Amino acid sequence: MKRRSLLRGAAPLCAGLAGCSGAVSDPLMLSVIVFNHAESPYTVEVTLSRTDATTRSDARAFSGTIDVEPDGQADREGVAERRRYLIEYGLYEDNSDLTDQDHVHYYPGDEDESGTLSFDIDSSGNLTRR
């Protein structure tokens, strides 16, 4: 009888977890992935701002950091809705030395089929959009 009770209690938990994994890959959300082709670890500080907002505080859709190990990749899933953004970034080698700082514009449809916007860090410490 204890086994049946355990299974009955676990079924809703499994169903709930299955629902959560579906939310992460929401087709209406934008994800960001960074590929590091350098031999040093990097940190990318990134801010996505809506271009149609009336105030700066209303414009910010996402702000955060992405740490990428040498010859590795890192991603952030579902950072913001798929809509038009100004993406500002700063790239820091070893989380301390600024090597690149710039911005790019994102328009819905610029991402790959999975809803991911990709960037590359080259061996010189520059960040480029794929």
Side-chain angles (χ1 to χ4, degrees):
M1 199 58 132
K2 290 181 181 179
R3 182 174 169 207
R4 286 185 185 169
S5 297
L6 176 66
L7 291 174
R8 235 180 315 203
L13 176 62
C14 291
L17 290 175
C20 290
S21 66
V24 171
S25 61
D26 185 345
L28 300 176
M29 297 299 286
L30 181 65
S31 297
V32 176
I33 187 167
V34 180
F35 297 93
N36 185 358
H37 303 284
E39 295 178 5
S40 298
Y42 281 88
T43 298
V44 183
E45 290 183 354
V46 62
T47 301
L48 278 70
S49 300
R50 294 179 189 92
T51 59
D52 59 352
T54 55
T55 66
R56 188 163 177 85
S57 62
D58 288 340
R60 184 168 294 167
F62 172 79
S63 183
T65 60
I66 302 172
D67 295 319
V68 193
E69 294 300 316
D71 295 316
Q73 68 184 48
D75 61 349
R76 287 285 186 96
E77 294 184 3
V79 297
E81 297 174 23
R82 287 192 196 176
R83 59 187 297 176
R84 198 172 163 175
Y85 292 108
L86 170 67
I87 301 173
E88 299 171 288
Y89 63 84
L91 181 64
Y92 296 86
E93 184 176 12
D94 295 321
N95 200 20
S96 62
D97 299 324
L98 181 66
T99 61
D100 192 12
Q101 184 176 20
D102 205 349
H103 73 278
V104 295
H105 293 270
Y106 164 77
Y107 300 95
D110 285 352
E111 74 284 348
D112 67 17
E113 302 82 38
S114 68
T116 303
L117 188 57
S118 302
F119 294 90
D120 289 298
I121 301 170
D122 67 19
S123 59
S124 300
N126 294 308
L127 185 74
T128 55
R129 190 168 143 192
R130 273 193 180 181

Coordinates of all heavy atoms in Angstrom, one line a residue, residues 33 35 89 91 100 104 118-122 126-130:
I33 N 22.7 32.7 -26.7 CA 23.8 31.7 -26.5 C 25.1 32.4 -26.9 O 25.1 33.1 -27.9 CB 23.5 30.4 -27.2 CG1 24.6 29.4 -26.9 CG2 23.5 30.6 -28.7 CD1 24.2 27.9 -27.3
F35 N 29.2 31.6 -27.7 CA 30.2 30.6 -28.0 C 31.6 31.3 -27.8 O 31.8 32.3 -28.4 CB 30.1 30.0 -29.4 CG 28.9 29.3 -29.7 CD1 27.8 30.0 -30.2 CD2 28.7 28.0 -29.4 CE1 26.6 29.3 -30.5 CE2 27.6 27.3 -29.7 CZ 26.5 28.0 -30.2
Y89 N 26.1 45.4 -24.9 CA 26.9 44.5 -24.2 C 28.3 45.0 -23.9 O 28.8 45.9 -24.6 CB 27.0 43.2 -25.1 CG 27.7 43.4 -26.4 CD1 29.1 43.3 -26.5 CD2 27.0 43.6 -27.6 CE1 29.8 43.5 -27.7 CE2 27.7 43.8 -28.8 CZ 29.0 43.7 -28.8 OH 29.7 43.9 -30.0
L91 N 32.1 43.0 -22.9 CA 32.7 41.7 -22.8 C 34.0 41.9 -22.0 O 34.8 42.7 -22.2 CB 33.1 41.3 -24.2 CG 33.8 39.9 -24.3 CD1 32.9 38.8 -23.9 CD2 34.3 39.7 -25.8
D100 N 35.7 44.4 -25.2 CA 34.8 44.8 -26.3 C 33.5 45.4 -25.7 O 33.0 44.9 -24.6 CB 34.4 43.6 -27.2 CG 33.8 44.1 -28.5 OD1 33.7 45.3 -28.8 OD2 33.3 43.2 -29.2
V104 N 24.0 46.0 -30.7 CA 23.4 45.5 -32.0 C 21.9 45.6 -31.8 O 21.3 45.8 -30.8 CB 23.7 44.0 -32.2 CG1 25.2 43.8 -32.4 CG2 23.2 43.1 -31.1
S118 N 22.5 34.1 -31.3 CA 23.8 33.5 -31.0 C 24.9 34.6 -31.2 O 24.8 35.4 -32.2 CB 24.1 32.4 -32.0 OG 23.1 31.4 -31.8
F119 N 25.9 34.5 -30.4 CA 27.1 35.4 -30.4 C 28.4 34.5 -30.3 O 28.4 33.5 -29.7 CB 27.1 36.4 -29.3 CG 26.0 37.4 -29.3 CD1 24.7 37.1 -28.8 CD2 26.1 38.6 -30.0 CE1 23.7 38.0 -28.8 CE2 25.1 39.5 -30.1 CZ 23.9 39.2 -29.5
D120 N 29.5 35.0 -30.9 CA 30.8 34.4 -30.8 C 31.8 35.3 -30.2 O 31.8 36.5 -30.5 CB 31.3 34.0 -32.2 CG 30.5 32.9 -32.9 OD1 30.5 31.8 -32.3 OD2 29.8 33.1 -33.9
I121 N 32.6 34.8 -29.4 CA 33.8 35.5 -28.8 C 35.0 34.9 -29.6 O 35.3 33.7 -29.6 CB 34.0 35.2 -27.3 CG1 32.7 35.7 -26.6 CG2 35.2 36.0 -26.8 CD1 32.7 35.3 -25.1
D122 N 35.7 35.8 -30.3 CA 36.9 35.3 -31.0 C 38.1 35.3 -30.1 O 38.1 35.8 -29.0 CB 37.1 36.1 -32.3 CG 37.5 37.5 -32.1 OD1 37.9 37.9 -31.0 OD2 37.3 38.3 -33.1
N126 N 36.8 39.8 -29.0 CA 35.7 40.6 -29.6 C 34.5 39.7 -29.7 O 34.5 38.5 -30.0 CB 36.1 41.0 -31.0 CG 37.2 42.0 -31.0 OD1 37.2 43.0 -30.3 ND2 38.3 41.7 -31.8
L127 N 33.3 40.3 -29.5 CA 32.0 39.6 -29.6 C 31.4 40.0 -30.9 O 31.2 41.2 -31.2 CB 31.2 40.1 -28.4 CG 29.8 39.3 -28.2 CD1 30.1 37.9 -27.7 CD2 28.9 40.1 -27.3
T128 N 30.9 39.0 -31.6 CA 30.2 39.3 -32.9 C 28.9 38.4 -32.9 O 28.9 37.3 -32.3 CB 31.0 38.9 -34.1 OG1 31.5 37.6 -34.0 CG2 32.2 39.8 -34.3
R129 N 27.9 38.9 -33.6 CA 26.7 38.2 -33.7 C 26.7 37.3 -34.9 O 27.3 37.6 -35.9 CB 25.5 39.2 -33.9 CG 24.2 38.6 -33.8 CD 23.2 39.8 -33.7 NE 22.0 39.3 -34.5 CZ 21.1 40.1 -34.8 NH1 21.1 41.4 -34.5 NH2 20.0 39.7 -35.4
R130 N 26.2 36.1 -34.7 CA 26.2 35.1 -35.7 C 25.2 35.4 -36.8 O 24.1 35.9 -36.5 CB 25.9 33.7 -35.2 CG 27.1 33.0 -34.7 CD 26.8 31.5 -34.5 NE 28.0 30.9 -34.0 CZ 28.2 29.7 -33.7 NH1 27.1 28.9 -33.8 NH2 29.3 29.2 -33.3

